[in-house]
Amino acid sequence: MNWYPGHIEKAKRRIRELLKMVNTVLEVRDARAPFATSAYGMDFSKKGTIVVLNKVDIADKKITKEWVEYFKKQGKRVITTYKDEPRQVFLRKLHLGRLARVLVVGVPNTGKSTIINKLKGKRASSVGAQPGVTRGIQWFSLENGVKMLDTPGILYKNIFSKDLAAKLLLVGSLPVERIDDHEVFEKAFEIFKRYQGVEDDFTTFFENFAKRRGLLKKGGVPDLDRAIRVFFTEISQGKVGRLSFERPDEVNPEE
Ligand code: GTP
């Protein structure tokens, strides 16, 4: 199982092209799983990189604090945000210098476009394509001379384990429809159980969920496939409540 196989290399090449044009990278990660949604396989260390832990409105507050400490200890610049945070507050946190040329990157669904649109605001004018570089690339200007690329770089990492696939499912980076291995759902459910403190086993939980939601097949039999689909979609959108899916002390920084 993987993300759009074949597109991964193409996406990496595109990001390398975009990187040539910028000196600052906003690496958007989902605050609920900042390690699983990291830019594994791409090196942004030569650029001024700011790790943006997004969606903190639906992440566990205490675990988000642990992550902020974790990144600070590694000497990284890290900020937290969420879609309804006022633009000016977000801009102050970013604290971009006048000469910043910015690219937003991240794995699917971390909120890159939402961030770009917020920064773009209504007043930011597009400054047009730069001649001589990749076609179709548009910049926009922020108040203080900062320029940003208005399309994000999408990262597709190598999904080397079921655990990683499960976390990407939980944050909505990997759509439910793309998962063809039932064990990924089981792993994701184990992670949910650990963080939510649920006791049920997989089948009992999803049977009850299906009954509660009226997701039934002919004869009133719980439709487990639909229940799984609905549940994981909702959890990724934060509808199940504030919940994180990994803590810094469980991840191996060497990975
Ligand atoms: P791709 O185009 O797939 O790479 O997605 P993206 O990274 O550009 O994410 P996008 O901005 O499209 O947001 C994905 C989904 O997450 C949308 O449904 C957003 O409304 C939602 N979203 C974005 N930011 C936040 C946030 O801070 N909190 C919550 N709860 N939802 C958010």
Side-chain angles (χ1 to χ4, degrees):
M1 173 177 30
N2 221 324
W3 263 315
Y4 327 108
H7 291 195
I8 299 177
E9 277 312 308
K10 204 172 149 204
K12 274 190 180 171
R13 274 200 301 278
R14 180 176 153 78
I15 290 186
R16 282 193 203 104
E17 282 301 308
L18 296 174
L19 278 174
K20 288 181 195 158
M21 297 183 252
V22 302
N23 55 21
T24 307
V25 172
L26 300 192
E27 202 203 315
V28 184
R29 305 195 191 189
D30 192 307
R32 298 169 294 170
F35 201 69
T37 57
S38 68
Y40 179 79
M42 291 291 298
D43 182 12
F44 301 119
S45 58
K46 290 196 195 78
K47 305 286 172 186
T49 301
I50 305 174
V51 174
V52 179
L53 298 180
N54 193 33
K55 306 200 184 184
V56 293
D57 57 320
I58 52 176
D60 181 296
K61 277 187 184 168
K62 188 166 163 280
I63 298 177
T64 299
K65 276 194 192 135
E66 291 174 13
W67 279 110
V68 169
E69 287 313 307
Y70 170 87
F71 288 114
K72 280 187 179 161
K73 264 194 198 136
Q74 291 191 339
K76 291 196 171 142
R77 260 199 79 189
V78 57
I79 62 170
T80 59
T81 191
Y82 59 100
K83 68 171 186 268
D84 295 327
E85 182 170 63
R87 180 178 184 275
Q88 286 303 333
V89 177
F90 182 50
L91 262 180
R92 263 201 301 283
K93 286 183 182 170
L94 284 173
H95 196 67
L96 297 165
R98 208 165 44 84
L99 298 176
R101 298 291 173 266
V102 187
L103 170 66
V104 176
V105 302
V107 299
N109 205 51
T110 48
K112 300 176 294 299
S113 303
T114 306
I115 284 177
I116 290 173
N117 288 334
K118 182 193 290 192
L119 290 174
K120 216 169 176 179
K122 287 196 187 77
R123 74 190 91 77
S125 57
S126 175
V127 288
Q130 304 287 299
V133 287
T134 315
R135 260 194 239 179
I137 302 292
Q138 297 283 324
W139 295 86
F140 65 90
S141 307
L142 302 183
E143 306 56 348
N144 56 349
V146 174
K147 287 193 169 42
M148 288 194 74
L149 284 170
D150 84 348
T151 46
I154 304 180
L155 299 162
Y156 299 102
K157 58 200 280 173
N158 182 16
I159 303 176
F160 52 81
S161 73
K162 290 181 185 175
D163 191 58
L164 177 57
K167 286 177 182 172
L168 293 171
L169 166 69
L170 286 163
V171 298
S173 255
L174 198 55
V176 182
E177 307 80 56
R178 287 196 61 86
I179 291 170
D180 48 16
D181 180 345
H182 195 74
E183 264 186 55
V184 173
F185 293 126
E186 287 167 23
K187 280 242 176 231
F189 181 66
E190 285 305 314
I191 296 169
F192 162 71
K193 262 173 84 166
R194 189 159 8 112
Y195 282 90
Q196 183 77 325
V198 171
E199 297 288 329
D200 290 349
D201 64 74
F202 189 91
T203 310
T204 312
F205 179 87
F206 282 101
E207 275 179 3
N208 288 337
F209 184 85
K211 284 183 202 154
R212 262 200 328 273
R213 295 298 190 87
L215 304 171
L216 305 172
K217 291 197 273 201
K218 268 194 198 132
V221 182
D223 187 339
L224 289 193
D225 288 337
R226 266 177 74 202
I228 288 169
R229 247 190 350 261
V230 171
F231 176 75
F232 284 112
T233 304
E234 291 189 356
I235 201 169
S236 72
Q237 295 167 345
K239 289 186 182 155
V240 179
R242 276 180 175 271
L243 207 51
S244 292
F245 307 118
E246 63 186 1
R247 317 179 87 109
D249 58 13
E250 308 167 1
V251 299
N252 174 6
E254 300 303 316
E255 272 175 20

